[in-house]
């Protein structure tokens, strides 16, 4: 079916989200809580757009609004820009330390905050992607805790999480760099828990934590005796296939 | 079914709703029972004693009704039991002292039906409450209960039931007013099983107790409604989600479910119809947001109670991704009556677009605090001044807040507004689930907005940015204004933030959260300006912006204010009026409350 985004006619499949259609057609809609691997959070609200349907305008999030009619979409109307600017202002007051949010703030010309009491030292915008990533890995080591203004992301009891395997998926997926992952001397520290890194037996590079390696071995029933990093495993598999 | 069936036998109905219970009504029941049992064969007609659900007139509790004479006693104490037994039960004499005093007419009335409070009400959802013992399924059946279920199962097809509900014009009583019949129709259409029905009993608005009263006082009406709904849409599993703080509701609904199984109204092959339905209770943890349908479903599934976007409706993908019909307690309780008496009858009550009645919990600065049910379309003035009996203490009405914490404050100029879904929406407020909080001149409207935003900031689930951060920053500004640190540009910023929170939030909580701010700015802007520009709280509530002064001409030198002052800040020299030492005054307002001559004046921020 055909929809119009900012005047441009685009082909869309029934049920496809506006964001996907826009992306495919080179129309940029800013997002924070969306990654292609874990879509459909709808929590940051940065990707709001106006949908005109049956003569009525409504504000929806493009990452979750399915196309079911021949709608017209405005990704950058005055109203959307005004509200998006407000959302960035709110996020900047919450997470002033995040480089990414700072860039958005500049892009949307949000002035220096003079009215709100800006949170000190915060980077997290509570989008929840890290929790979903952890769930997707199958570990469930972190979760959102509390609600409303006291909400935060935390391991149980704010202690180093027992279940964490140190895979770092949470840090990887975080849009604002709020989850600290440090590596030094063959160790990785995340969520205040220290993991031993293992070396690839071929190239000798540190590539994962022992816990993650064991977790994956068990999950996928791997028989691997030696530690192989992604690159070397691919090489070795390819060689086996060739010969 | 709706009209009272007066029993021939002498019956004493003792209200054991939460309000009356708190005032010892159960002890009154026990004492009276003791007296009746002790009298044994000596009384010719042995009365039946019943504990009932909330009668509605909570302000005057504990209340007792004696049938068939229909004598209505208020504020009964344990010490009154002997007299009630001796005089009224044995001799049929009326005890004047315990009768209800009608505020409007100034007369004592014998039967509650003669009082302004009850006369103007029409009870559909509350039809049995106060009349039956909620723990006794026979009581419910005697008043026509489960008759509609039989009619639905054996005389109607699912489509006919849905048509009937659709034609009745019933709209969801939980707040949004979504047409119930249409919702059912959507769920029925989807060819995916299992399907679910849910009763939303997660009432969390401050000052609201409509749903609690129905669950406590007439649980079978909800269960019967759910069975009919489940049959109509093809669901075989139902959940009643009740917040765990509602202990009596959990107890009474559990008992009712068990009894319904016992009588073959639930379980396999209901009444031999071939239809199966199981219902179980899920106890909620008390998060306000879990009253939002998708958050509630997440909570039933065992996940964090956070809403999801509803571009795909729950009737298509709800609980565990399956078609789900979720209705509020009051909505379900209306269903049996609609099936029993027909859509035509139901739709003859109410307004063009809002049919039937609505239950409200009328609280705040109003004489008859309590639970009421009125036809849609009555005016706020009728509710507050006729049924509610007006404002206590001769104070002036200021506003009424409808629809729970995210409803709006409606001013005096709109008191003649008919109460229905659309009119309230238009006024910037909403029907919500039916909370109605009356405020008088001693309420500061900026402080009221601050109070509700504080509640919402804590009860937002925190998932989406506009709601979590937006409400929080709006609250920050309101706190500043109340503390005398408001800035001229604050009103503009509040309005701008309100737009983003309302338009861009994920669920209904965020979308309606700005209402208290928007309506108070719209209708009481002068109060905001007084706080911001003049550094004065006209109502004398915000401490930082209030000081008191004794009007020297009005002061009669009685000295009550000085006696009541906990800070010892009021003194006088012989033969001269009293004065307040502002350095000692803690702005508690005790003097103002105590002064009978209105001599204590509210002034702006104290100097220096």
């Amino acid at each position: 079916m055909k929809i119009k985004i900012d005047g441009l006619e685009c082909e869309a499949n029934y049920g496809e989200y506006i964001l996907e259609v826009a992306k495919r057609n080179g129309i940029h809609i800013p997002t924070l809580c969306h990654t292609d691997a874990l879509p459909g959070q709808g929590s940051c609200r940065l990707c709001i757009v106006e949908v005109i349907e049956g003569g009525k305008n409504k504000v929806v999030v493009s990452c979750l609004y399915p196309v079911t009619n021949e709608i017209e979409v405005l990704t950058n109307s005055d109203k959307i820009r005004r509200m998006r600017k407000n959302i960035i202002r709110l996020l900047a007051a919450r997470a002033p330390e995040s480089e990414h949010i700072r860039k958005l703030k500049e892009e949307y010309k949000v002035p220096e905050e003079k009215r709100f009491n800006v949170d000190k030292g915060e980077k997290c915008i509570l989008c929840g992607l890290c929790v979903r990533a952890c769930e997707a890995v199958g570990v469930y080591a972190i979760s959102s805790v509390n609600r409303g203004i006291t909400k935060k992301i935390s391991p149980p009891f704010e202690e180093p999480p027992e279940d964490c395997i140190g895979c770092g998926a949470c840090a990887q997926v975080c849009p604002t760099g709020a989850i600290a992952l440090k590596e030094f001397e063959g160790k990785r520290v995340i969520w205040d828990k220290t993991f031993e890194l293992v070396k690839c037996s071929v190239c000798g590079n540190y590539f994962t934590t022992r816990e993650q390696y064991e977790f994956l071995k068990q999950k996928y029933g791997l028989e691997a005796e030696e530690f192989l990093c992604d690159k070397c495993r691919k090489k070795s598999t390819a060689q086996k296939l060739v010969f | 079914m709706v009209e009272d069936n007066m029993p021939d036998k002498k019956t004493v109905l003792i209200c054991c709703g939460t309000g009356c219970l708190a005032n010892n009504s159960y002890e009154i029941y026990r004492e009276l029972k003791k007296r009746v049992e002790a009298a044994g064969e000596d009384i010719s007609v042995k009365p039946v004693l019943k504990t009932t659900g909330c009668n509605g007139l909570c302000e005057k509790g504990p209340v007792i009704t004696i049938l068939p004479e229909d004598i209505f006693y208020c504020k009964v104490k344990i010490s009154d039991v002997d007299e009630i037994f001796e005089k009224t039960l044995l001799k049929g004499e009326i005890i004047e002292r315990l009768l209800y005093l009608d505020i409007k007419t100034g007369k004592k009335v014998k039967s509650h039906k003669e009082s302004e409070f009850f006369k103007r009400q029409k009870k559909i959802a509350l039809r049995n409450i106060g009349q039956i013992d909620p723990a006794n399924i026979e009581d419910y059946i005697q008043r026509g209960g489960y008759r509609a279920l039989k009619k639905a199962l054996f005389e109607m097809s699912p489509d006919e039931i849905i048509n009937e509900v659709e034609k009745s014009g019933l709209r969801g009583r939980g707040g949004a007013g979504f047409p119930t019949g249409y919702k059912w129709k959507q769920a029925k259409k989807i060819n995916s099983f299992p399907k679910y029905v849910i009763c939303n009993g997660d009432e969390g608005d401050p000052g609201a107790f409509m749903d609690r009263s129905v669950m406590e006082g007439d649980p079978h009406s909800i269960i019967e409604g759910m069975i009919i709904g489940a049959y109509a849409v093809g669901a075989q599993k139902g959940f009643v989600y009740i917040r765990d703080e509602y202990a009596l509701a959990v107890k009474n609904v559990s008992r009712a479910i068990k009894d319904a199984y016992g009588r073959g109204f639930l379980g396999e092959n209901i009444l031999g119809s071939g239809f199966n339905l199981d219902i179980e209770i899920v106890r909620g943890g008390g998060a306000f947001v879990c009253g939002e349908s998708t958050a509630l479903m997440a909570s039933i599934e065992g996940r964090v109670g956070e809403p999801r976007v509803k571009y795909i409706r729950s009737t298509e993908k709800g609980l565990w991704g399956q078609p789900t019909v979720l209705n509020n307690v009051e909505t379900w309780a209306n269903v049996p009556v609609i099936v029993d008496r027909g859509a035509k009858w139901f739709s003859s009550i109410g307004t063009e677009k809002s049919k039937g009645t609505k239950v409200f919990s009328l609280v705040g600065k109003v004489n008859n605090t309590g639970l009421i049910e009125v036809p849609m379309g009555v005016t706020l003035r009728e509710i507050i001044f006729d049924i509610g009996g007006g404002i206590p203490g001769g104070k002036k009405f200021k506003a009424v807040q409808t629809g729970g914490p995210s409803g709006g404050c409606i001013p005096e100029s709109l008191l003649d507004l008919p109460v229905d879904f659309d009119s309230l929406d238009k006024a910037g407020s909403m029907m919500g689930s039916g909370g109605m909080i009356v405020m008088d001149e001693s309420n500061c409207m900026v402080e009221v907005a601050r109070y509700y935003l504080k509640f919402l900031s804590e009860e937002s689930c925190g998932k989406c940015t506009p709601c979590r951060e937006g409400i929080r920053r709006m609250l920050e500004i309101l706190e500043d204004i109340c503390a005398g640190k408001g800035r001229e540009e604050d009103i503009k910023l509040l309005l701008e933030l309100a737009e983003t929170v309302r338009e861009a939030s994920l669920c209904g909580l965020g979308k309606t959260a700005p209402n208290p701010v928007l309506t108070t700015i719209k209708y009481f802007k002068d109060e905001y300006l007084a706080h911001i520009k003049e550094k004065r709280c006209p109502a004398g509530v915000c401490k930082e912006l209030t000081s008191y002064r004794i009007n020297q001409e009005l002061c009669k030198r009685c000295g009550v204010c000085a006696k009541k002052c906990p800070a010892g800040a009021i003194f006088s020299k012989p033969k001269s009026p009293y004065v307040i030492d502002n350095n000692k005054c803690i702005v508690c307002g005790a003097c103002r409350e105590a002064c009978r001559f209105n001599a204590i004046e509210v002034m702006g921020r104290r100097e220096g």
Side-chain angles (χ1 to χ4, degrees), chain B residues 484-519:
Chain B
K485 290 183 259 172
R487 306 180 192 178
E488 295 230 358
E489 63 281 11
D490 278 352
I491 294 181
K492 193 172 154 257
L493 180 55
L494 279 172
L495 292 174
E496 201 183 316
L497 286 171
E499 184 203 27
T500 303
V501 176
R502 190 183 63 209
E503 297 268 348
S505 285
L506 192 155
C507 82
L509 192 153
K511 283 182 192 301
T512 54
N515 282 343
V517 182
L518 289 171
T519 51

Side-chain angles (χ1 to χ4, degrees), chain B residues 155 238 258 271 278 316 320 386 391 429 443 525 534 566:
Chain B
E155 294 168 33
K258 195 170 145 247
L271 301 175
D278 286 308
E316 195 180 330
W320 289 297
D386 295 333
I391 316 299
S429 185
N443 286 102
K525 196 170 182 179
E534 301 164 31

Side-chain angles (χ1 to χ4, degrees), chain A residues 2-236:
Chain A
K2 284 202 168 18
I3 65 169
K4 237 186 205 171
I5 306 180
D6 296 340
L8 182 75
E9 212 159 83
C10 306
E11 192 61 42
N13 298 320
Y14 184 91
E16 202 177 2
Y17 297 132
I18 292 173
L19 183 65
E20 292 172 54
V21 184
K23 256 190 192 171
R24 196 169 55 236
N25 287 277
I27 297 166
H28 173 70
I29 301 174
T31 59
L32 280 168
C33 70
H34 176 92
T35 71
D36 288 336
L38 299 165
Q41 289 266 108
S43 66
C44 76
R45 316 304 277 182
L46 207 55
C47 72
I48 48 170
V49 295
E50 263 187 280
V51 163
I52 307 167
E53 196 174 6
K56 277 186 186 162
N57 286 40
K58 56 182 170 185
V59 176
V60 304
V61 280
S62 56
C63 68
L64 278 167
Y65 192 86
V67 177
T68 55
N69 274 315
E70 298 197 332
I71 48 170
E72 201 185 328
V73 180
L74 304 174
T75 71
N76 232 343
S77 63
D78 286 348
K79 186 175 182 176
I80 291 296
R81 275 195 75 83
R82 182 171 68 236
M83 295 204 288
R84 205 175 274 152
K85 189 173 168 182
N86 267 331
I87 291 171
I88 293 166
R89 178 179 177 182
L90 290 168
L91 288 173
R94 153 142 195 123
E97 298 305 318
S98 164
E99 189 58 34
H100 190 66
I101 300 287
R102 266 208 289 266
K103 273 187 194 148
L104 275 171
K105 203 174 143 191
E106 275 163 33
E107 191 188 332
Y108 279 82
K109 301 194 173 58
V110 176
E112 261 332 286
E113 189 56 66
K114 292 207 178 94
R115 186 63 185 89
F116 306 145
N117 300 317
V118 174
D119 294 1
K120 301 272 177 306
E122 186 60 80
K123 283 183 179 178
C124 172
I125 55 159
L126 291 168
C127 73
L129 264 181
C130 51
V131 177
R132 280 196 63 201
C134 193
E135 283 172 8
V137 172
V139 173
Y140 302 92
I142 50 170
S143 156
S144 72
V145 183
N146 299 340
R147 60 177 181 265
I149 41 180
T150 57
K151 190 178 187 118
K152 58 184 172 184
I153 306 292
S154 164
F157 312 113
E158 290 180 54
E159 286 166 3
E162 231 171 77
D163 294 332
C164 179
I165 54 170
C167 71
C170 51
Q172 177 80 33
V173 83
C174 176
T176 60
I179 299 171
L181 185 151
K182 279 182 211 143
E183 282 183 10
F184 55 92
E185 297 164 1
K187 297 212 164 32
R188 176 184 289 177
V189 181
I190 186 167
W191 295 110
D192 288 331
K193 188 173 172 181
T194 307
F195 296 88
E196 185 198 333
L197 290 169
V198 290
K199 277 181 182 166
C200 172
S201 53
V202 175
C203 67
N205 290 330
Y206 288 122
F207 73 100
T208 187
T209 66
R210 185 174 294 278
E211 284 83 350
Q212 183 184 3
Y213 200 78
E214 291 302 322
F215 178 85
L216 292 176
K217 243 170 79 178
Q218 227 170 28
K219 190 171 174 183
Y220 297 107
L222 298 180
E223 294 289 329
E225 286 304 313
E226 45 177 9
F227 295 118
L228 282 177
C229 71
D230 266 7
K231 247 187 210 161
C232 297
R233 181 180 304 283
K234 269 181 203 154
K235 228 184 255 171
S236 118

Side-chain angles (χ1 to χ4, degrees), chain B residues 404-466:
Chain B
S406 45
C409 297
I410 298 170
E412 196 182 5
S413 59
L414 294 178
L415 268 181
D416 292 307
L417 200 73
V419 175
D420 61 57
F421 290 106
D422 310 296
S423 308
L424 289 174
D425 253 12
K426 238 169 126 184
S429 185
M430 58 184 194
M431 181 76 89
S433 56
M436 208 173 258
I437 302 172
V438 183
M439 298 163 197
D440 68 14
E441 55 191 316
S442 61
N443 286 102
C444 164
M445 299 316 286
V446 186
E447 157 61 24
V448 164
R450 186 207 63 80
Y451 169 83
Y452 285 114
L453 255 70
K454 173 94 177 138
F455 176 87
L456 292 165
S457 72
E458 287 163 0
E459 291 298 339
S460 155
C461 81
K463 179 173 174 176
C464 77
T465 312

